[in-house]
Amino acid sequence: MRVYIPATVPMLRGLVADREMFPIGGTAFAVTPALREAYASGDDDELAEVAMVEAARASLRLLAAERDDFVGGGDSGGDAESGDIDDAAGAASAGSPVYRRAVIAADVTGTKLRPDLDDAVVKLAGPITYNQIASVHVDLAEAEPQVAKAVDVVDAADLGDTDAEFVLGDAEDHQLAWYAAQELPFLLELL
């Protein structure tokens, strides 16, 4: 099964160094029967894009956790109205999280469907190895300002906050760039 695993740049660096990675909580996204049922139309390619968008949104949550760890937080969350977005962008330039969403597409066996969590969610039975990677998808540099802002509001957007949805939409308007697995070490050198 092709799965889409949310990641961050440090997680990609770990994957290159260790040649394997276990996704946070074993969570990935895929074209599942529940996802097919949720859409009245759409072929497998279109549904795969839906699963990838869900994984990219999950990547925002991973970025929020990295940012909180970097600033010594531990409590989640910047407040988009209090200027934390500017603080987050400034911290990124000082070596904190790289505000780029990342998604690893991999071919795996042994997934468990989790429609109780969301239509596209699957749990992986074990780590993925470098050889299972089909491709890696990462934001380009021009997406970083919008991604930094979206990190602060992703949860509010999921709860229906229209202003947060607008900010999140700005980040999601950026397409993730496609990289072959063998290109990943070179991409990481450039970041």
Side-chain angles (χ1 to χ4, degrees):
M1 170 181 270
R2 173 70 49 94
V3 297
Y4 302 93
I5 303 163
T8 63
V9 170
M11 291 172 72
L12 295 177
R13 290 187 199 286
L15 174 60
V16 169
D18 300 338
R19 307 302 284 178
E20 72 174 16
M21 180 187 95
F22 191 76
I24 304 290
T27 301
F29 299 82
V31 178
T32 64
L35 184 65
R36 280 191 175 93
E37 283 182 30
Y39 285 82
S41 65
D43 61 19
D44 280 350
D45 289 338
E46 291 169 325
L47 294 175
E49 183 65 27
V50 170
M52 172 134 11
V53 167
E54 290 298 318
R57 188 172 284 196
S59 177
L60 290 172
R61 292 183 181 87
L62 296 175
L63 283 167
E66 278 184 4
R67 187 222 25 237
D68 291 346
D69 288 345
F70 179 79
V71 297
D75 63 349
S76 65
D79 179 353
E81 295 176 23
S82 70
D84 284 351
I85 291 171
D86 293 334
D87 293 342
S93 65
S96 75
V98 178
Y99 287 100
R100 296 192 193 197
R101 298 168 297 159
V103 175
I104 302 163
D107 296 314
V108 301
T109 58
T111 60
K112 179 180 179 186
L113 302 177
R114 290 300 309 266
D116 56 313
L117 297 177
D118 199 84
D119 292 337
V121 174
V122 297
K123 292 290 182 176
L124 302 183
I128 61 156
T129 64
Y130 206 83
N131 294 338
Q132 291 174 294
I133 298 172
S135 57
V136 178
H137 307 263
V138 181
D139 274 315
L140 298 174
E142 61 259 16
E144 287 188 48
Q146 289 80 25
V147 170
K149 292 175 184 175
V151 163
D152 288 324
V153 300
V154 64
D155 291 329
D158 284 346
L159 294 173
D161 181 312
T162 54
D163 291 335
E165 288 174 4
F166 182 74
V167 172
L168 184 63
D170 286 344
E172 291 180 339
D173 283 344
H174 291 274
Q175 293 290 317
L176 299 175
W178 180 95
Y179 299 93
Q182 61 268 27
E183 295 176 300
L184 185 55
F186 304 107
L187 169 65
L188 294 173
E189 284 180 22
L190 298 173
L191 295 179

